[in-house]
Amino acid sequence: MIARRARIYDALALLAAIVVIVLDQWTKSLVVQYLSPPMSKPPIPVIGNYLTIFYIQNSGAAFGLFANNVALAVLIAGAICVITYLYVRTLNSGPLVYKLIFGMIIGGAVGNLLDRAIRGGYVVDFIFFRIPEINYHFAIFNLADASISVGVFLLFLAILFGNLRKTGGAGDK
């Protein structure tokens, strides 16, 4: 029974990664289709002036770091390998929450790497959050970036608070 549950958890992690990749690529294709060329159309308000859709092409990593750098692809591939290695160590064991978190992180990383491969080295960013009253502007990002960021934050919380109580995972006794 435990082995069957572990396989189901692994399948759900794969499903989470696939869902992130598909949603990420789909939203990026919509943005490119309806807002091309980049930065030529005004932002589309989603929640007033706070959350808008604004298309840019980002050739760097988060916040534009390492722009147009070949080492960036190597760093991304290395990060995917590390996360995949950590996931494989929990294969057929481990709690569902860790599996889903790894699925989110891997899906986001693969989504952005796929975007770079398809688009010649850049990713499509389009989610722009700001608070105009205090002149706060967050970096423009995409669903893959959000999935990675939320996944890493949840992983941190799970590791930090994971020992407070048993999680009841497939590999726990």
Side-chain angles (χ1 to χ4, degrees):
M1 185 66 134
I2 291 175
R4 181 171 182 241
R5 183 179 298 164
R7 287 192 301 275
I8 291 171
Y9 288 0
D10 289 329
L12 289 173
L14 177 62
L15 180 63
I18 291 170
V19 166
V20 167
I21 294 166
V22 168
L23 285 176
D24 176 62
Q25 292 301 304
W26 178 62
T27 55
K28 288 173 180 174
S29 70
L30 288 174
V31 166
V32 169
Q33 180 180 354
Y34 292 107
L35 296 178
S36 284
M39 297 187 295
S40 66
K41 305 230 168 81
I44 299 170
V46 176
I47 302 175
N49 286 328
Y50 301 100
L51 185 65
T52 60
I53 304 297
F54 185 68
Y55 173 27
I56 66 165
Q57 296 174 346
N58 181 359
S59 59
F63 313 111
L65 298 173
F66 302 111
N68 298 317
N69 193 330
V70 175
L72 178 60
V74 174
L75 289 172
I76 293 169
I80 291 172
C81 289
V82 167
I83 291 295
T84 303
Y85 168 76
L86 292 173
Y87 178 81
V88 168
R89 289 189 53 177
T90 67
L91 201 59
N92 293 323
S93 66
L96 178 60
V97 68
Y98 284 106
K99 301 291 185 159
L100 295 176
I101 289 170
F102 282 130
M104 288 176 64
I105 296 169
I106 292 169
V110 169
N112 274 342
L113 195 59
L114 184 61
D115 213 30
R116 287 184 192 287
I118 291 170
R119 303 183 193 287
Y122 68 88
V123 296
V124 171
D125 284 340
F126 59 92
I127 302 169
F128 184 36
F129 175 73
R130 62 187 171 183
I131 303 172
E133 291 83 4
I134 61 172
N135 202 25
Y136 174 77
H137 301 275
F138 193 74
I140 301 175
F141 58 100
N142 57 47
L143 290 181
D145 297 335
S147 182
I148 294 167
S149 298
V150 170
V152 168
F153 178 73
L154 291 175
L155 182 60
F156 173 75
L157 289 179
I159 290 169
L160 185 64
F161 297 113
N163 292 333
L164 294 179
R165 65 178 181 88
K166 288 287 184 191
T167 57
D172 295 344
K173 294 187 180 180

